[in-house]
Structure formats: structure tokens, C-alpha cells
Amino acid sequence: MDAIGKQDIVLKERFAERAEVMKALAHPSRLMMIDELSRGERCVCELRDLVGHDISTVSKHLRVLKEAGVVQDERRGKQVYYRLKVPCILNFFHCIESVIEAGKG
Amino acid sequence: MDAIGKQDIVLKERFAERAEVMKALAHPSRLMMIDELSRGERCVCELRDLVGHDISTVSKHLRVLKEAGVVQDERRGKQVYYRLKVPCILNFFHCIESVIEAGKG
DNA sequence: CAAACACTTGGCGTTTTCGCCAAAGGATAT
DNA sequence: ATATCCTTTGGCGAAAACGCCAAGTGTTTG
């Protein structure tokens, strides 16, 4: 048995996996899109109008969210629609707000 | 009134503010420390042993968490103890796990 | 007061992220 | 088929994050 055991490595991987998901959420535009998607599916061009960046930028943000498992996409005709895959993320916002409020106090 | 109104700017700032908090949580070591702090306050050296990085690195991670409003610190003698300021963050973990599980499925 | 201990800060090189432009893919319409 | 529309991918420079080392701060101990 090493000083740094196998369990520690497994533990690190666990937190690394979690951090990947958190990283996907750690961007203003992506949070904005998640908030929008909480009100229903949207195509990429709608989300581009929302965040006001180049559509390629928006597409890459969506890819990050998709690879993290937060959203899923579906092509319908010319457009690609995105929707939330795991809505519990919306619960984060309340807590985040209280962090922000506590920070001001 | 501009095409991009004042409300949009305020909205952007809101999400930027939230993203700052999420960014603070978006690192394996920091998640690990948060998890540890959920079981009680810890000094920096204890957290250094936990994550296994240089103590200066750990200290900077803690600063990030502190500035985000997630933890608070208190000096007692030679040591500085950190504790969670907003425990609701622990609720994130359950949701994150379901994102990870859904991603595998 | 000097030494030791616990922690923070500054600085540096490396890696990652970000947003744009240009080009490529995929689907529909003419 | 060609053109058009919507989206993705590749590539690039700029900015930010990471982790270490070295140096500095604050506190206790001898």
C-alpha cells in the first residue's frame, strides 16, 4: 500500500469528473443559455440572439454543455434544437444567489 | 433606447456574477476541499494534506473560494481555519452526479 | 530578539479558455 | 444540380487559470 493509496486516486477522479460538469456551467453565456432553455427548447440562432456573440462561439458553448451532459440536441430540418437534459441544475441558481447575497453582507 | 437595452446589460452582469461563483467551484481540488469542509472547519495544512499540492497552491484556491463568498477564514494562533459559508452548495453534488450518470447512459 | 511555524503573495512558464473569422457540413428550396 | 440557410469545425491571437518556487507576513516559542 502506497502513502497515496488507490482510493485517493479514485477519489481525485471523482472530483475531477464533477469539476468537468461545473466547468461547463462556469461561463456567463452558458448560464444564460441554460436559463433560457429552462423555458423550453431553442435553436442555435435563438440562443445567438440571446447572448449576442458570433454563432460559432455559441455553437462551441453548446458543445461544451452537451459534452458535459447538461443539454441534448436534435436536428429538425435546417435547425438544431437544444434542450436541458438535467433540469435540477436550475436549483443551483437559488443557492448561487444566496452566495452572492452573503458576499455583499 | 438602444437595440441592446440597459436591461440586457444588467442581465449580462447578473449571469457574469453567477458565473464567478460557479468558476470558483469548477476545480477538482476546490470541490474536494468543499467536501472536506462540509464535515467541519479545517486549517490550510490539513487541506494541503488532502489535495496533495503545494501549500501556496492550496492557499490560492482558498482565496478563490473566499472571494466568491463560498468560505470564510479565521486565524487562531498560527493557523488559519476555513469553513463553509453557504452550505447549500453541498446540494449541487447530487445533481452533478445525476448529470454524470445521465451522461454515461 | 531570533528561530520556527503557518500561511500568503509575487512571479514565471505552461496549459486552457475565449471569441472571431474562414471554411466545411447538412438540409431545404428553386 | 445550385443556391441558400443553419450549424459545426479549424485555426489563430489574446486572456485567464494552474502549479511551483521564492520571498514576505503574522504568530508563537525558546
Side-chain angles (χ1 to χ4, degrees):
Chain A
M1 179 129 95
D2 300 356
I4 300 172
K6 207 176 274 185
Q7 291 188 344
D8 296 337
I9 293 169
V10 171
L11 205 64
K12 289 227 178 208
E13 281 168 6
R14 256 177 98 81
F15 285 109
E17 217 173 14
R18 292 176 179 183
E20 284 308 307
V21 179
M22 295 302 291
K23 264 198 280 188
L25 304 176
H27 190 284
S29 300
R30 295 199 287 266
L31 287 182
M32 210 170 181
M33 293 192 283
I34 287 169
D35 183 65
E36 182 69 14
L37 292 177
S38 74
R39 289 183 281 281
E41 63 176 20
R42 298 285 187 272
C43 68
V44 181
C45 56
E46 286 173 316
L47 296 169
R48 169 186 49 99
D49 292 345
L50 178 74
V51 306
H53 281 156
D54 192 279
I55 195 166
S56 69
T57 301
V58 172
S59 178
K60 283 177 183 174
H61 279 310
L62 287 166
R63 195 156 88 95
V64 171
L65 290 174
K66 184 182 169 186
E67 287 184 349
V70 176
V71 303
Q72 57 188 173
D73 61 340
E74 181 190 350
R75 172 149 229 146
R76 287 208 302 278
K78 281 188 286 197
Q79 280 144 25
V80 177
Y81 288 89
Y82 281 82
R83 74 179 74 91
L84 283 189
K85 202 173 167 188
V86 187
C88 63
I89 285 171
L90 298 172
N91 299 333
F92 288 25
F93 289 126
H94 296 102
C95 177
I96 296 294
E97 287 302 321
S98 52
V99 172
I100 292 168
E101 283 309 308
K104 286 171 183 167
Chain B
M1 176 129 98
D2 300 355
I4 299 173
K6 206 176 274 183
Q7 291 187 343
D8 296 337
I9 294 168
V10 172
L11 205 63
K12 291 227 177 210
E13 280 168 6
R14 257 177 97 83
F15 285 108
E17 218 173 14
R18 291 176 179 183
E20 284 308 307
V21 179
M22 296 301 293
K23 264 197 280 189
L25 304 176
H27 191 284
S29 300
R30 294 198 288 266
L31 287 182
M32 209 170 182
M33 292 193 284
I34 288 169
D35 181 66
E36 182 68 15
L37 292 178
S38 74
R39 288 183 283 282
E41 64 176 19
R42 299 283 187 276
C43 68
V44 182
C45 57
E46 286 173 316
L47 295 170
R48 170 186 49 97
D49 292 345
L50 178 74
V51 305
H53 281 157
D54 192 278
I55 195 166
S56 70
T57 301
V58 172
S59 178
K60 282 176 183 174
H61 279 309
L62 287 166
R63 197 157 86 96
V64 171
L65 290 174
K66 184 181 169 186
E67 287 184 351
V70 176
V71 302
Q72 55 188 175
D73 62 338
E74 183 192 348
R75 171 149 229 145
R76 287 209 301 278
K78 281 189 286 195
Q79 279 142 25
V80 178
Y81 287 89
Y82 282 82
R83 73 178 74 91
L84 283 188
K85 202 172 166 188
V86 187
C88 63
I89 285 171
L90 298 172
N91 299 334
F92 288 26
F93 289 127
H94 296 101
C95 178
I96 296 294
E97 288 301 323
S98 52
V99 172
I100 292 169
E101 285 308 309
K104 287 173 182 166

